[in-house]
Amino acid sequence: MDEKTKKQIERRRTFAIISHPDAGKTTLTEKLLLYGGAIQSAGSVKGKQSDKHAVSDWMELEKQRGISVTSSVMQFEYEGYCINILDTPGHQDFSEDTYRTLMAADSAVMVIDAAKGIEPQTRKLFKVCAMRGIPIFTFINKMDHETRDPFELMDELETEFGIETFPMNWPVGSGVTFSGIYDRNRGKVLTYESRHAGRSRLASIDIDINDEAALTEAIGADLKAELDFNRELLDGAGSEFDLDKVHHGKLTPVFFGSALNNFGVEQFLESFLKLTTAPLPRKSGEGEEIDPFDDRFSAFVFKIQANMNKAHRDRISFLRICSGRFERGKEYFHVQGNKALRLSQPQQMMAQERDVIDEAFAGDIIGVFDPGIFSIGDTVCEIGQKVAFSGIPSFAPEHFAVIEQVDSMKRKQFAKGMNQIAQEGAIQIFFAPGGGMEKVTVGVVGVLQFDVLKFRMQSEYGVEYLRQDIPHELIRRVGNPNFNAADWNLAGDTRWVQDVRGNNLLIFNGQWTIQWAENKNPDLILTEFNQRL
Ligand code: G4P
């Protein structure tokens, strides 16, 4: 590999920001973008309550509901690094999208609300990071508010997640007494000047930890004594810092701060960029490791988004480049389609803005115009290379509805819309055995996805449909060849469906009906859904 390409890859940092809704993910992202000069003013990512949406929110629906439905990608430069931030939707009904996005990241920043600690969504997301062994950095946010005890928060991370923690800084006071953070590495206290109590905001100052007099004056004798005590505890009790453990997701560096007040954010960013990794190798389906510094280009599709720009009615596939250098106009190979192709209009994203690019490197995310050829998980590589990355797992749907087209004049649009949205991985379509597209069973992971479906079918495809929810919540694959439900003793409300490839599945409305099926039919082979897309 030539030196220039190697340097470009080395300076890439690609990470996802994850959190339970409201912990401060959007606010932190915005502050990071400000440092990179990627946006000009605070509030560009998210405005005030009345106009609560982020730059990263594309869809109308998101704006209307004030939730971030889809993930987006933002690239910016900071001190020689080229940073790709993958934003993830906060709402749990879209977790699947977040899980896929995590597949494209080399590390994750987990934002935690200091008053709340670990929340349900944090727990779920952490599990996925742990499964992939990707480095996790923790930002404990909202230190300007009343918080839980920082030691207790550390303890919670360690016991709940089974991960070691290493505080990179330590808060001095909290809530109304919050006075700064002690940077353990630099041996300095950065003071926090509150905007409350009528005081105008003063510039924070950096005080050497050994400058007793200046420190006492800045934070007061009580907080100084508390800090001395805590420092001793930290030095005596905590884990050793071990970068190798960080890189394998076994130890999380922890930072305290306040995203809203932009306090501790720059220190976090600088430290994070040094500690996190350049693009990591990826495993192919055969278990072979693909080195990012391999000269040959390879990438996989982790996200598909249709109609991002209504005026263009386009569909964009997002690819994470795993190795080498991408060149615009060059022919590559689409493994699953078994075809050579040129990726048209390759773009890099800054939320709504897109730039057509001539080249990109391992670690980068590019969006390409997709006339409907890609599916989630597909690989694109050099011609003649034939690598295929291991698939992205799809989650078992937990909510089902029967959806029937109502306007026979719009049969084509209905089929097109449903199929495209399914290809994006937002819904899963099942058919009655031998049945067609006019009446299908749709499965989703979160019920809000039904709202998104309705909205998109109306606004993008001009189609109305009838939806009837069914109380089923569990789906299993059937392993028996030539399966026909009529030959088996199944509870009356068990539904037999097939996927697009003709595989047989059963949908149950509770655990007990699965047990019934298993008890009555010892030869029936039921397996978990867990499909690879
Ligand atoms: P999310 O993306 O994780 O869902 O969280 P988001 O950044 O939207 O933040 C959730 C709320 O928490 C916002 O308030 C935000 O201003 C606030 N917040 C974020 N960081 C801090 C912090 O460091 N300290 C304090 N005190 N609050 C913080 P909101 O009232 O819901 O929205 P807004 O009117 O401020 O936009």
Side-chain angles (χ1 to χ4, degrees):
M1 169 169 290
D2 64 272
E3 254 333 278
K4 200 179 132 242
T5 306
K6 189 162 165 254
K7 281 223 171 85
Q8 286 288 3
I9 298 174
E10 271 167 355
R11 71 187 195 92
R12 257 63 192 167
R13 298 289 182 271
T14 304
F15 62 94
I17 305 196
I18 56 176
S19 78
H20 189 88
D22 263 1
K25 184 170 59 67
T26 314
T27 313
L28 182 67
T29 307
E30 176 180 278
K31 297 293 148 57
L32 295 177
L33 292 177
L34 276 172
Y35 282 112
I39 53 173
Q40 299 310 318
S41 61
S44 308
V45 173
K46 195 172 91 177
K48 286 286 125 217
Q49 218 109 25
S50 55
D51 182 26
K52 193 170 177 175
H53 67 271
V55 176
S56 55
D57 291 354
W58 271 298
M59 293 167 61
E60 277 301 309
L61 182 78
E62 297 177 314
K63 291 181 196 165
Q64 285 177 7
R65 303 193 68 133
I67 49 170
S68 181
V69 177
T70 51
S71 330
S72 61
V73 185
M74 291 161 249
Q75 186 181 65
F76 64 94
E77 298 271 333
Y78 180 79
E79 300 203 336
Y81 293 101
C82 177
I83 300 169
N84 296 301
I85 299 188
L86 299 164
D87 190 17
T88 55
H91 197 286
Q92 60 166 14
D93 280 12
F94 303 100
S95 314
E96 218 184 342
D97 201 34
T98 303
Y99 294 128
R100 289 193 208 116
T101 299
L102 280 168
M103 304 291 288
D106 294 308
S107 63
V109 171
M110 177 164 71
V111 184
I112 287 180
D113 183 330
K116 300 199 172 133
I118 297 172
E119 295 181 85
Q121 197 61 7
T122 337
R123 207 167 275 125
K124 273 195 181 173
L125 294 165
F126 177 86
K127 268 196 196 145
V128 182
C129 296
M131 235 157 58
R132 285 203 44 222
I134 66 173
I136 299 169
F137 295 79
T138 307
F139 187 85
I140 300 190
N141 190 28
K142 306 198 187 182
M143 289 310 295
D144 56 313
H145 265 196
E146 276 319 309
T147 69
R148 283 174 51 194
D149 176 55
F151 283 107
E152 200 186 292
L153 290 169
M154 299 278 115
D155 217 44
E156 187 172 85
L157 288 173
E158 299 215 343
T159 48
E160 274 220 37
F161 290 160
I163 190 171
E164 288 178 43
T165 56
F166 187 90
M168 304 300 292
N169 62 23
W170 198 255
V172 180
S174 71
V176 279
T177 67
F178 183 53
S179 304
I181 43 174
Y182 161 52
D183 183 332
R184 297 180 71 198
N185 193 28
R186 290 189 312 128
K188 300 215 184 236
V189 172
L190 184 70
T191 62
Y192 172 74
E193 293 297 335
S194 164
R195 268 184 282 191
H196 303 296
R199 276 195 284 172
S200 62
R201 191 177 162 82
L202 303 173
S204 294
I205 45 167
D206 236 1
I207 303 172
D208 197 288
I209 192 74
N210 297 315
D211 190 343
E212 307 254 331
L215 208 54
T216 309
E217 197 195 321
I219 63 176
D222 289 351
L223 285 178
K224 162 86 170 60
E226 192 183 297
L227 176 62
D228 288 343
F229 181 74
N230 288 340
R231 279 175 54 212
E232 245 173 69
L233 274 184
L234 287 173
D235 293 343
S239 310
E240 293 270 309
F241 187 79
D242 180 337
L243 193 57
D244 196 52
K245 280 189 184 166
V246 175
H247 287 172
H248 289 91
K250 305 242 176 289
L251 184 150
T252 179
V254 179
F255 301 80
F256 291 87
S258 166
L260 187 64
N261 295 290
N262 204 358
F263 187 76
V265 175
E266 192 174 10
Q267 292 76 6
F268 160 73
L269 179 61
E270 290 194 346
S271 186
F272 166 72
L273 290 172
K274 282 189 200 113
L275 299 176
T276 188
T277 63
L280 293 171
R282 302 269 139 176
K283 276 211 170 68
S284 75
E286 280 84 51
E288 185 198 352
E289 287 228 321
I290 310 293
D291 183 359
F293 296 97
D294 190 320
D295 252 330
R296 295 162 300 179
F297 166 84
S298 68
F300 70 91
V301 178
F302 71 96
K303 177 182 170 63
I304 296 172
Q305 171 97 49
N307 304 324
M308 270 174 35
N309 183 338
K310 262 188 130 179
H312 294 115
R313 294 230 155 248
D314 52 3
R315 177 173 131 135
I316 303 283
S317 283
F318 291 85
L319 289 102
R320 148 84 199 212
I321 304 180
C322 301
S323 64
R325 171 172 171 263
F326 165 79
E327 278 173 67
R328 179 181 171 188
K330 186 172 161 180
E331 262 200 342
Y332 291 107
F333 186 67
H334 174 212
V335 177
Q336 283 74 8
N338 200 24
K339 260 201 184 121
L341 47 75
R342 280 195 178 83
L343 299 174
S344 75
Q345 296 181 30
Q347 332 180 354
Q348 234 140 27
M349 306 280 160
M350 167 56 211
Q352 267 160 338
E353 283 156 40
R354 318 180 197 168
D355 280 332
V356 173
I357 45 147
D358 292 323
E359 57 174 10
F361 302 90
D364 284 342
I365 311 295
I366 52 170
V368 297
F369 184 70
D370 172 12
I373 52 173
F374 291 124
S375 291
I376 303 261
D378 282 7
T379 300
V380 177
C381 60
E382 295 290 335
I383 288 176
Q385 193 193 357
K386 279 226 166 160
V387 56
F389 290 102
S390 47
I392 297 183
S394 144
F395 288 69
E398 291 170 17
H399 306 275
F400 298 88
V402 174
I403 288 185
E404 194 177 351
Q405 68 179 66
V406 283
D407 184 351
S408 57
M409 299 297 286
K410 293 199 167 163
R411 245 184 34 222
K412 268 194 178 159
Q413 288 96 314
F414 177 80
K416 185 175 171 201
M418 294 292 280
N419 283 324
Q420 283 195 343
I421 296 172
Q423 254 181 333
E424 288 173 35
I427 58 163
Q428 299 184 46
I429 303 178
F430 306 102
F431 302 87
M437 197 66 214
E438 56 294 332
K439 190 173 180 180
V440 290
T441 301
V442 170
V444 296
V445 179
V447 281
L448 266 181
Q449 284 171 309
F450 280 134
D451 293 5
V452 174
L453 179 66
K454 178 165 185 267
F455 182 88
R456 291 190 54 188
M457 287 296 282
Q458 278 170 343
S459 68
E460 295 168 22
Y461 303 94
V463 174
E464 302 282 344
Y465 56 70
L466 279 180
R467 174 181 133 210
Q468 193 201 347
D469 291 344
I470 53 176
H472 299 64
E473 54 192 30
L474 295 163
I475 184 162
R476 293 287 183 274
R477 297 194 163 281
V478 180
N480 307 72
N482 305 320
F483 175 82
N484 183 333
D487 302 338
W488 302 81
N489 186 357
L490 301 168
D493 52 10
T494 300
R495 276 178 183 252
W496 173 29
V497 293
Q498 293 179 330
D499 66 15
V500 67
R501 295 186 189 94
N503 297 312
N504 292 301
L505 300 115
L506 289 174
I507 307 180
F508 300 92
N509 74 4
Q511 196 59 46
W512 77 270
T513 43
I514 296 186
Q515 262 154 23
W516 159 287
E518 285 173 338
N519 291 341
K520 300 277 180 194
N521 308 279
D523 296 332
L524 183 65
I525 307 166
L526 295 180
T527 55
E528 292 290 327
F529 180 76
N530 210 8
Q531 168 184 339
R532 300 236 161 229
L533 284 168

